[in-house]
Each structure stands twice: as structure tokens, then as C-alpha cells.
Amino acid sequence: MSSTLTSRTARSPVTAPGLSGLGLFTVLLAAALPLIDFFIVNVALPTMGRDLHASEAVLELVVAGYGLSYAVLLVLGGRLGDLFGRREFFLGGMAAFGVTSLACGLAPDAWTLVAARVAQGAAAAAMLPQVLATIQSATSGPRRAKAMGLYGATAGLSMVAGQILGGVLVAADIAGTGWRSVFLVNVPVVVVGLFLAARTVPETRSQHPEPVDGPGTVLLAVALVTLLAPLTEGRAAGWPLWTWLALAVFPFAAWAFYAVERRADRHGRTPLVPPSLFALMSLRRGLVMIVPFSIGFSGFMFVIAVALQQGAGLGPVSAGLALTPMAVAFFVVSLCGPRLVARFGTRVVSAGGAIQAVGVTLMVLAAWRAWPHLGVLELLPGAAVAGAGQALQLPVVLRLVLSEVPPARAGVGGGVMITTQQSALALGVATLGSLFLALVPGLGMRDALVITLLVQLAGIALTIALSLRLPRTIG
């Protein structure tokens, strides 16, 4: 398989215009928007439910509908960008993200909001793969390493900042918009982004465009939907029959997808996700590590938002600001990441996992001792240490995954990576979130929080073990 990948790479030289500093800022701004919007609703859900008279199951769909359409369409978005031009898809996806954000903010009822969120996820799936593909195709050498490091830092910071921003916007109640402002704030950002992108983002595309793989696209969509839909919606819906039927279909859909893709690759056709890509050890092992890391990250963000608001009695601002130390530490430490990787290689990732474990342990102790008086000061040491550890993991692993992907396949490579990350983020809310909410009635909020954080610690131990198998250096 590696020889197939090599031969295709040799036939696909790419000469792309360079990405300027302002162009890099623009694509990173676009990269932040979808991740912010995945987390920004966490602290807005209680207010949203009261205003729209929405049940818990419908509110779950506000989160799950976005995450599902986003995850299902990401690889297709990357392939279409490779085929028709990444700049055009980037601009179109960003414009659609602005329009769908406006639709979310103006939604008159809960089901309209769910539909708008599904459309918003689809727009994000058209836009985000072009960010990574443009960086891969329009930069090289140290500039690419720096750009990928900044992308990883942006991704991690956006996930924490989204929750903080959501709390601030809901509490600010700008012009009486309440929770609607968490969506409406995207509109002016998108307008500025489109203005900058039209002037600074270069056009890049594969020199040998590869047609869309229809059967692969459908089977991947079926596999992801049958896994993520029941896991994200099942608990709130009471685990009806359709959730169990969907989970039963998932392994067959996943096997059929793999078989179709492998057959297409062997017969010289172009599958949606070329199995030959997984011959790249950096991509394969990096993706495996992204899964438990992202599950733990999103699960923690959801659980802490619920615990602080419903258990500790904090308002949306206080609940959001409780994570400020994590965001600040992540930002500061991520700036040091490239130099540390240059000196110590990917062992920085293992060290980051150990540091994150210390931080989560400190938060467990804080929750046990201080409950229900849990706020910024009590969480500060643990949140700051955990944020520093995360900053030494996520940016490095994201950079590693794409380090050997040829520019001609930058779109599909980026789509595969983001799909893996997004699916794991959705699984984190579904698994750790469901565990926490299931434990609350019997054990109380404090013990449920402590047990869930201890489960996350087990996940961190797994990421540390997996990090030891990463290539020592990044190409």
C-alpha cells in the first residue's frame, strides 16, 4: 500500500502560491469558529431550554445535530476541495456558516434551531478541511511546522474559549438576545473573515483531481450516524428501540465501508478514505491517540459545565470563567511547544499527558474538599496544570498526523483527521456525559463528578501509553 501512495504522490506535484501571515490568521480564524460553536452551547443550554420550552432530548439534538452533520460530511468536504479548488470551498463554507449561524440565532422554536444547527454543521464541514489543506499545500519546511503548531494551539484554545465565551454572552444579554447571541456573534466575524479571505487566501487544488467516491461516502455516513446518533441521543430519549437497532447496524456498516474502500484502492480507483494513507505510521498512530484525548476533553467540558451550574449553583459567567486558567495556560504553553518538540521530539506529548493527569487529580481533590463551593479559585491550580498538559499534546499530535501526507491529498488527510477528532468529541459527551448524569441521582453531584474525573484519569493513562508509540520526530 505504501508503494501505491508513493507512486500517486510522484504523479501529483503541487506548486501553490505561498500563504502570507495575514492569510494564515484568516484560515486560523475560520478553524476556530466550528470548534467554538461545538462548545459554546454547553453553558447556554439551560437558558435555551427555558426560552424555547424544549425538552432535554431536543436540547441534546441541538448539540448532536451539529456534531453529527459536521463529522459525517468532513471527509467529503476535504475531497470536494481537492477536486474543485480549496479557496472556493473555503469561501462558500464560511459564507454558509455565517448564514446558518444567523438562522440559529433567529430560530423561533426548538425544532427550527435543531435544523439550523444541522445546516451549520454541514457548512463547517465544507470550510474546515480547506484550512488544513491550504496550510499543507501553501507552506513548506519551518513555515509549515509553525503553521501546524498554531493550528493545533488554535484548536485546543477554541474548545476552552467557546465555553467561556458562551457564559459571558448569555449573561451579557446583549440587546435582549440572551442565548441567541452565542450564534449571532458569528455573523460579524464571518463578514470580516470573508473580506480577509478574498484577499489573502491562495487557491490550491490537487494536480490530479480525484472524483467523489459515492458508495464510500454513503457507507461512511451510515457508519458514523449509526454510532454517534444513538450514543448522543439515547440517554435523553430513554434508549428507545431505534438506538439499539442503530448500534447493531454500526459494525456491519463500518466493515462494509472498509471493504469497499480497500477494493477501490486495489483496483486503482480513488476511495473516499484511501487505506493506503494508513500506511503512514505518523498518521495511523496519531489518529489512535486523538480518540481518547478528545473523548476526555469534550466529556470534561460538558460535565464541568453541568456540575458548576446545576450542582455548585454558579451562573453562566462564573461557570465559564472557572475554565479561564485552563485557557490561559494552554495558550502560553502552546507557544513553547514547537521549541520543545524540536529539542525533545514527541516525548513532549508523553510529558504533557503526565502533567494533565496531575491537573485532573488536583481538580478531583478540589471537588471532593470544597463542594459545593467550587469556583474559579478552587479549580485554578488543577485547571491551569491540566491546560498546560493539554497544550503539550494536542498541537503536537495534530501536526504529527499530517506531517507525511502528500499535498495532493491534503484535503482528504485533513478531513480524516478532523472526522476522527470530531467523532471522538461527540463520543466524549455521549460517554462521560451520560456516565455523570446517570450517577447523579444515586450518588449526588459531587460524587458523580469525582467518579467521572477518575474515569477521565484512566483515559489520560491510555493516551500516555499510546504516546510512547509515536514516531520520535516529526517530519
Side-chain angles (χ1 to χ4, degrees):
M1 286 190 292
S2 58
S3 60
T4 303
L5 184 62
T6 303
S7 63
R8 287 178 180 168
T9 306
R11 295 197 303 268
S12 306
V14 176
T15 55
L19 185 65
S20 66
L22 187 57
L24 178 60
F25 169 81
T26 303
V27 296
L28 291 180
L29 176 67
L33 287 173
L35 286 169
I36 286 174
D37 266 58
F38 185 84
F39 289 93
I40 201 170
V41 299
N42 279 352
V43 293
L45 286 175
T47 309
M48 203 179 293
R50 289 193 298 270
D51 187 38
L52 298 178
H53 308 290
S55 66
E56 185 182 358
V58 175
L59 289 177
E60 289 275 357
L61 281 175
V62 172
V63 179
Y66 175 82
L68 268 173
S69 63
Y70 183 26
V72 164
L73 297 172
L74 273 165
V75 178
L76 179 61
R79 170 59 59 81
L80 291 174
D82 287 348
L83 184 61
F84 295 111
R86 294 155 187 153
R87 182 176 184 272
E88 298 307 315
F89 254 78
F90 177 78
L91 291 170
M94 180 177 274
F97 193 84
V99 171
T100 52
S101 294
L102 181 63
C104 289
L106 299 179
D109 55 64
W111 285 107
T112 303
L113 177 59
V114 170
R117 282 284 280 175
V118 171
Q120 189 188 34
M127 174 176 65
L128 190 56
Q130 319 317 327
V131 172
L132 285 166
T134 299
I135 290 174
Q136 288 289 98
S137 300
T139 60
S140 60
R143 290 200 73 244
R144 180 185 295 173
K146 180 180 179 181
M148 284 303 302
L150 288 172
Y151 172 84
T154 300
L157 189 60
S158 298
M159 290 189 276
V160 182
Q163 207 143 302
I164 297 171
L165 181 62
V168 172
L169 287 173
V170 170
D173 194 20
I174 302 169
T177 54
W179 60 266
R180 298 178 186 275
S181 60
V182 304
F183 301 115
L184 295 176
V185 71
N186 292 333
V187 178
V189 176
V190 165
V191 170
V192 172
L194 286 171
F195 176 81
L196 293 174
R199 289 158 175 76
T200 63
V201 176
E203 177 63 282
T204 64
R205 69 176 71 200
S206 173
Q207 294 295 309
H208 298 276
E210 301 168 334
V212 172
D213 171 19
T217 300
V218 171
L219 286 170
L220 178 62
V222 171
L224 289 174
V225 168
T226 53
L227 174 66
L228 296 179
L231 288 179
T232 53
E233 186 64 13
R235 186 199 59 80
W239 296 104
L241 178 62
W242 71 263
T243 59
W244 298 107
L245 292 176
L247 288 172
V249 168
F250 165 70
F252 297 100
W255 177 86
F257 171 70
Y258 174 73
V260 165
E261 299 299 273
R262 184 177 59 178
R263 187 179 304 113
D265 214 20
R266 286 178 173 174
H267 287 81
R269 299 192 297 273
T270 305
L272 181 70
V273 179
S276 52
L277 272 181
F278 293 91
L280 302 173
M281 184 174 67
S282 56
L283 180 138
R284 186 175 65 251
R285 294 187 178 179
L287 288 180
V288 170
M289 187 183 159
I290 282 176
V291 173
F293 179 89
S294 298
I295 287 174
F297 200 126
S298 64
F300 167 80
M301 298 295 286
F302 175 81
V303 166
I304 203 70
V306 174
L308 291 178
Q309 289 187 90
Q310 297 183 13
L314 300 184
V317 173
S318 299
L321 292 179
L323 296 176
T324 302
M326 179 177 286
V328 172
F330 191 103
F331 175 73
V332 172
V333 176
S334 65
L335 296 178
C336 306
R339 290 194 295 273
L340 292 172
V341 171
R343 183 172 180 181
F344 300 107
T346 57
R347 288 298 174 260
V348 168
V349 178
S350 306
I355 294 170
Q356 183 190 3
V358 172
V360 173
T361 301
L362 291 174
M363 284 191 280
V364 169
L365 295 175
W368 182 263
R369 293 173 178 172
W371 191 266
H373 307 292
L374 195 63
V376 177
L377 291 178
E378 292 76 18
L379 288 173
L380 191 154
V385 173
Q390 290 165 340
L392 294 176
Q393 296 175 82
L394 184 63
V396 180
V397 174
L398 294 183
R399 177 182 158 194
L400 174 71
V401 167
L402 296 180
S403 61
E404 295 180 310
V405 175
R409 288 190 165 177
V412 68
V416 169
M417 183 183 78
I418 305 166
T419 299
T420 303
Q421 183 188 27
Q422 180 62 34
S423 300
L425 290 174
L427 283 173
V429 176
T431 53
L432 290 180
S434 295
L435 171 66
F436 171 73
L437 294 173
L439 292 174
V440 168
L443 299 178
M445 193 74 73
R446 184 195 70 172
D447 290 356
L449 176 61
V450 168
I451 291 173
T452 306
L453 290 177
L454 290 175
V455 172
Q456 187 192 357
L457 271 176
I460 294 171
L462 176 59
T463 63
I464 294 172
L466 291 172
S467 71
L468 298 175
R469 302 184 70 245
L470 296 176
R472 290 298 299 269
T473 58
I474 299 178

